Amino acid sequence: MIVKSLDHLNQISKKISKNLENGDCIFLIGEIGVGKTTFTRYLINNLQNQKGLKETEVLSPTFNLLYEYEIKDFKIMHYDLYRLKQSKELDHLGIFSENEKTIKIIEWPDLVKTPLNNKLEINLEYGKNDNERIIKIQGPGKWKNVENEV
């Protein structure tokens, strides 16, 4: 699907946010600057709005590796694994040790080899024009038709 505006990207994130549940994991795949953190910002802000919370600033966790956002009955854990070079470094983060009341968003998930049943993969690529992105959404079960619905 071709995304031609930030508003369209926001609409996609809104649709996905309405289907999220505790334990879900989103892998964001794409080059630097393609819109992974922008998508995450929209997603988290949409979840905050749905729960009647004030929108917070959502930053890229490139240097911190992780930012957490409390959203009433669950926590968003936003990881950026860009700086990690070896999969053993993931063990120190404990990404999959806390699953029950969390939703994980992982940018640069290449090193993650843990099999997940509740994983949604979102691939973002640059389009022909500067403001266009090509987005591919893949996942099992409830995620099967998300791309067709947005």
Side-chain angles (χ1 to χ4, degrees):
M1 152 180 30
I2 296 176
V3 178
K4 294 191 177 201
S5 68
L6 290 175
D7 185 55
H8 188 200
L9 186 63
N10 188 25
Q11 294 306 313
I12 293 168
S13 73
K14 191 176 290 186
K15 181 67 177 173
I16 290 170
S17 71
K18 290 179 180 175
N19 289 297
L20 282 173
E21 300 172 346
N22 283 326
D24 284 343
C25 186
I26 298 174
F27 281 13
L28 293 173
I29 302 162
E31 297 177 50
I32 290 176
V34 77
K36 297 179 298 293
T37 301
T38 300
F39 173 85
T40 302
R41 180 178 307 114
Y42 287 142
L43 184 78
I44 291 170
N45 288 160
N46 282 321
L47 287 166
Q48 290 169 328
N49 287 327
Q50 290 168 22
K51 299 290 184 176
L53 300 172
K54 181 183 175 196
E55 287 185 6
T56 57
E57 186 175 9
V58 176
L59 303 171
S60 173
T62 300
F63 296 103
N64 293 359
L65 299 178
L66 168 66
Y67 283 128
E68 296 181 6
Y69 303 87
E70 295 287 336
I71 305 195
K72 291 200 176 180
D73 49 350
F74 60 89
K75 183 186 336 181
I76 300 279
M77 299 178 77
H78 179 203
Y79 294 91
D80 185 324
L81 306 181
Y82 179 75
R83 294 185 308 130
L84 301 186
K85 301 299 177 217
Q86 299 177 8
S87 57
K88 67 181 180 182
E89 294 175 280
L90 292 175
D91 297 338
H92 299 293
L93 290 175
I95 293 174
F96 300 107
S97 62
E98 188 179 335
N99 285 324
E100 280 186 31
K101 298 207 179 240
T102 63
I103 294 171
K104 294 167 185 63
I105 301 170
I106 303 173
E107 297 185 37
W108 303 97
D110 302 344
L111 294 175
V112 177
K113 303 301 180 208
T114 304
L116 301 167
N117 297 329
N118 52 351
K119 175 178 71 173
L120 175 65
E121 279 191 18
I122 300 174
N123 291 277
L124 292 154
E125 299 173 15
Y126 288 102
K128 291 179 183 177
N129 299 320
D130 288 344
N131 62 336
E132 286 184 352
R133 299 295 185 266
I134 299 166
I135 189 168
K136 296 175 188 162
I137 302 170
Q138 299 174 304
K142 67 182 176 182
W143 303 116
K144 287 284 186 208
N145 296 319
V146 169
E147 189 168 350
N148 297 332
E149 295 173 8
V150 290

